[in-house]
Amino acid sequence: MEPEPSESNRSALPRTVIILLALASATIAAFGLGAIQGIVTPVFFAFVLTLCVHPLRRWMQARGISRGIATGTTIAAVFGLLTAFAAVLIASLAQFSALLPQYAPQMAEFGARISAMLESVGFGPEQTQAVLNGFTPGRIVGFLGGLLGNVASLVTSLVIILTMLILMAIDGSRVPALLIHLNYHRPALVSALNGFGTGVRRYMVATTVLGIAQGLFNWLVLVILQIPGALLWGLLSFICSFIPNIGYFIAIIPPLFFGYLTGGWPTFVAVIIIYGGINSIIQSIIQPKYVGNAVSLSETLTFFSVLFWAVVLGPVGAVLAVPLTLLFRTILLDSDPTLSWWRPLTGDNKDLELLIKEEDKAIRARRGRLKTGRPDTGSGPKA
């Protein structure tokens, strides 16, 4: 145990006041970010993309390729990825818009069943009518439009992303020299920034690979089950793979709904068993294992970050929740060596591995004594 700080080293303000001031400042900052989310989200998205393609520039420059060609190649690579994703997304949304009117009668019948069920358990006619009105193609398209934003906001975000990608790619050519310069003055900050870049790239690579596998598997399963819009739901599952913990529950709702409309309860159950079972294994077991090791964030903090950033920045905030949380941990904790002891509280178990092994060893020893009838001496790990 470290000794208590002397009175001369204590802060002039009580600890409670410091905590309250920190919470108040964080609240003001959160509201400020939410007020300018139209700028923050596309800029940070462009930053993450630039960070992910930075190894390509480094690889090219290490082989003697000029700075200008390397910069142009990274810009072209990111633009290619964005163009391909936008093309698939637009095609899928067009398919969805054409798909809804075809199932309008089934949707109306489904809404009527839900309304009747609600009336049977005591809901009033106004509430049931509101539910019935929600199962129309127009209301569903309007709901999705509210999530995605209007055309003007989408165009503005796209312009910001493309502009920032070009500017960040150009400025990125000076990053190695900048880090060398900063290392003379703030080595802890440089180390934290390097760790942030590595963590974000590992997270994006791991999540993208697993998301592609998950999307292809879902598309194949839905094609076999003859559920309409299989390509769209496969793309949705890929996007939702970037939303930890709850992305799977979002992605499974449309296949369940259209599966019920086309095949009834047998198809509904089949989607839950096949589609839901495999996806729950990927997102609940495989993805947390590899992604968690990449970013060193606890499951609790990861889930909270999804909820927090979704409230502050909207749906895109949920997708960018992990990189945003890593950035703030880098700024607030990793850049200050005196605060490194806080990292285990965020999910970095590197300093806890020995204590956890000792605790497991003590548990096994205690279990062995209980089986043999020997008394428990209360042994346990020592901090």
Side-chain angles (χ1 to χ4, degrees), residues 291-373:
V291 174
N293 292 337
V295 300
S296 297
L297 289 177
S298 66
E299 289 295 316
T300 302
L301 180 60
T302 301
F303 181 64
F304 174 78
S305 68
V306 171
L307 301 179
F308 176 80
W309 291 114
V311 171
V312 174
L313 300 178
V316 181
V319 177
L320 298 174
V322 171
L324 282 166
T325 304
L326 288 178
L327 176 62
F328 275 82
R329 187 178 69 176
T330 299
I331 297 173
L332 299 178
L333 297 183
D334 298 346
S335 60
D336 189 351
T338 62
L339 298 177
S340 60
W341 60 275
W342 278 91
R343 278 187 62 93
L345 296 177
T346 65
D348 187 358
N349 295 327
K350 182 174 60 177
D351 296 333
L352 302 180
E353 290 178 355
L354 180 59
L355 292 175
I356 294 175
K357 289 180 180 179
E358 291 181 356
E359 185 178 5
D360 292 339
K361 182 179 179 181
I363 293 174
R364 288 192 296 268
R366 190 178 298 115
R367 184 167 60 244
R369 285 191 297 269
L370 291 175
K371 289 181 178 180
T372 58

Side-chain angles (χ1 to χ4, degrees), residues 96-305:
F96 181 68
S97 300
L99 187 66
L100 282 178
Q102 300 177 17
Y103 291 89
Q106 293 93 326
M107 293 171 61
E109 182 182 355
F110 181 75
R113 292 179 183 177
I114 297 296
S115 299
M117 183 184 67
L118 293 177
E119 287 183 356
S120 65
V121 297
F123 283 86
E126 295 182 358
Q127 290 84 355
T128 56
Q129 185 62 35
V131 172
L132 183 60
N133 293 336
F135 287 93
T136 60
R139 293 293 293 270
I140 295 176
V141 172
F143 173 75
L144 292 178
L147 290 179
L148 297 175
N150 54 38
V151 176
S153 64
L154 289 176
V155 172
T156 301
S157 298
L158 184 60
V159 170
I160 294 176
I161 291 174
L162 296 179
T163 304
M164 292 302 299
L165 282 174
I166 296 174
L167 299 178
M168 287 181 180
I170 295 174
D171 291 337
S173 63
R174 299 189 292 269
V175 167
L178 176 62
L179 293 178
I180 294 175
H181 170 73
L182 289 177
N183 195 50
Y184 287 107
H185 304 280
R186 294 290 187 271
L189 176 61
V190 173
S191 177
L193 292 176
N194 287 329
F196 167 74
T198 301
V200 169
R201 280 191 289 269
R202 288 179 179 176
Y203 168 77
M204 294 300 293
V205 170
T207 305
T208 301
V209 171
L210 291 174
I212 291 174
Q214 186 175 344
L216 291 175
F217 173 81
N218 293 337
W219 170 74
L220 179 61
V221 168
L222 296 178
V223 168
I224 295 175
L225 294 176
Q226 297 182 348
I227 294 178
L231 176 62
L232 176 61
W233 314 137
L235 177 63
L236 178 64
S237 66
F238 168 71
I239 297 175
C240 289
S241 66
F242 290 89
I243 306 178
N245 302 117
I246 62 175
Y248 154 72
F249 297 101
I250 299 175
I252 198 175
I253 292 176
L256 285 176
F257 180 69
F258 281 93
Y260 175 79
L261 293 181
T262 56
W265 288 110
T267 305
F268 185 92
V269 174
V271 171
I272 293 179
I273 295 177
I274 303 175
Y275 185 103
I278 300 298
N279 282 273
S280 62
I281 293 175
I282 294 176
Q283 287 212 342
S284 301
I285 300 177
I286 300 177
Q287 184 167 336
K289 178 180 179 180
Y290 291 98
V291 174
N293 292 337
V295 300
S296 297
L297 289 177
S298 66
E299 289 295 316
T300 302
L301 180 60
T302 301
F303 181 64
F304 174 78
S305 68

